[in-house]
Amino acid sequence: MTIQNVGQNKVAGGWHKQYTHHSYTLGCNMRFAIFLPKTASNTHSVPVLYWLSGLTCTDENFMQKAGAFKKANELGIAIVACDTSPRGDGVADADQYDLGKGAGFYVDATKQPWSQHYQMYSYVSQELPQLVEKHFPVSRVKSIAGHSMGGHGALVIGLNNPEQFVSISAFSPISNPIKSPWGKKALTEYLGSDIETWKMYDACELLQSKSFDLPILVDQGDADEFLMEQLKPEQLLKAASSKNSKLELRMQHGYDHSYFFISSFIEEHLEFHYKHMSQAS
């Protein structure tokens, strides 16, 4: 589990650093970024928020556009942002923005040619936290968040692993991929046509199955161009309500799907996670 530093910048009193490593889960080299607040040291570990980005993104989109560092440094939270898919010359791809590289959908693919490398669910839920906890001054207290495809990933990884995460949040998540064009396309390609195998990767299906104690915060802009066809937040709220799970959905007037939206509310999401991280420490 070796890593190589490929860049770093001091920012907001802390450090943003990029690393590469060979992933045994994905079978290729991967890159991730970490923000470490000034309080992180060899004698003081800090909780960590894992951020999952959306279609076409890398580790750089959130780190460069979200404006999260000042608040994260103030609260003493580390942030880890990974890539959205495996990468490399030998990795299967499609000439489409919503499939293949940049569009891993945070599932463990079972269908060829994707199954050789596209194991993003296991990478995010197992390998990456193990790597981060080994090499950086972070505690085992962690939360997960994401946007769009990454919001879907944060919800399903958090809900499937409630013993690992103390809170979940999402911006504009693909809430019900079984009923979304993006989701149907990706899940069919990566998993095959049996819808039963899709259900562990659908937040609505998971929330309908049982009650969850994990606190969940979801922000959705009502001017989002993907709102009705792809995102379906009303289904997420309905599913959570059916089992009395702790989900708060906030519809934000006038906001779209962009990082302008994320940067407007990211500090509130960090405060939400810090509250629950503090209770778990």
Side-chain angles (χ1 to χ4, degrees), residues 68-85:
F69 298 139
K70 184 177 180 180
K71 178 59 70 172
N73 188 65
E74 174 189 319
L75 297 173
I77 298 173
I79 303 175
V80 171
C82 63
D83 206 341
T84 52
S85 77

Side-chain angles (χ1 to χ4, degrees), residues 164-176:
Q164 289 192 45
F165 301 99
V166 300
S167 53
I168 305 169
S169 76
F171 290 85
S172 314
I174 304 173
S175 300
N176 198 184

Side-chain angles (χ1 to χ4, degrees), residues 94-152:
D95 190 22
Q96 303 166 54
Y97 80 97
D98 54 357
L99 189 69
K101 293 178 183 178
F105 262 82
Y106 305 101
V107 304
D108 282 351
T110 57
K111 185 180 172 185
Q112 290 291 346
W114 312 106
S115 57
Q116 182 178 357
H117 297 288
Y118 284 74
Q119 306 293 310
M120 287 298 294
Y121 175 89
S122 290
Y123 176 71
V124 173
S125 63
Q126 298 175 35
E127 182 179 1
L128 185 60
Q130 292 170 7
L131 190 73
V132 169
E133 289 170 15
K134 177 180 179 180
H135 290 281
F136 300 99
V138 301
S139 71
R140 296 178 67 89
V141 176
K142 49 187 175 286
S143 297
I144 191 164
H147 170 236
S148 194
M149 178 187 73
H152 142 77

Side-chain angles (χ1 to χ4, degrees), residues 5 56 108 134 175 184 237 260 269:
N5 179 238
T56 76
D108 282 351
K134 177 180 179 180
S175 300
K184 289 179 181 177
L237 184 60
F260 293 108
H269 280 239

Side-chain angles (χ1 to χ4, degrees), residues 63 168 213 223 227:
M63 292 302 203
I168 305 169
D213 290 331
L227 176 59

Side-chain angles (χ1 to χ4, degrees), residues 49 121 140-145 153-170 203 206-207 210-218 236 239-241 243-249 272-273 275-277 279-280:
L49 175 67
Y121 175 89
R140 296 178 67 89
V141 176
K142 49 187 175 286
S143 297
I144 191 164
L155 287 166
V156 300
I157 291 172
L159 291 172
N160 279 312
N161 299 276
E163 74 287 349
Q164 289 192 45
F165 301 99
V166 300
S167 53
I168 305 169
S169 76
L206 293 171
L207 287 165
K210 65 178 182 178
S211 178
F212 288 88
D213 290 331
L214 274 176
I216 306 168
L217 174 64
V218 176
L236 189 68
S241 299
K243 298 293 183 179
N244 296 315
S245 292
K246 299 177 181 178
L247 184 145
E248 179 183 6
L249 171 65
F272 164 79
H273 291 297
K275 173 185 175 181
H276 297 290
M277 289 170 167
Q279 293 171 355

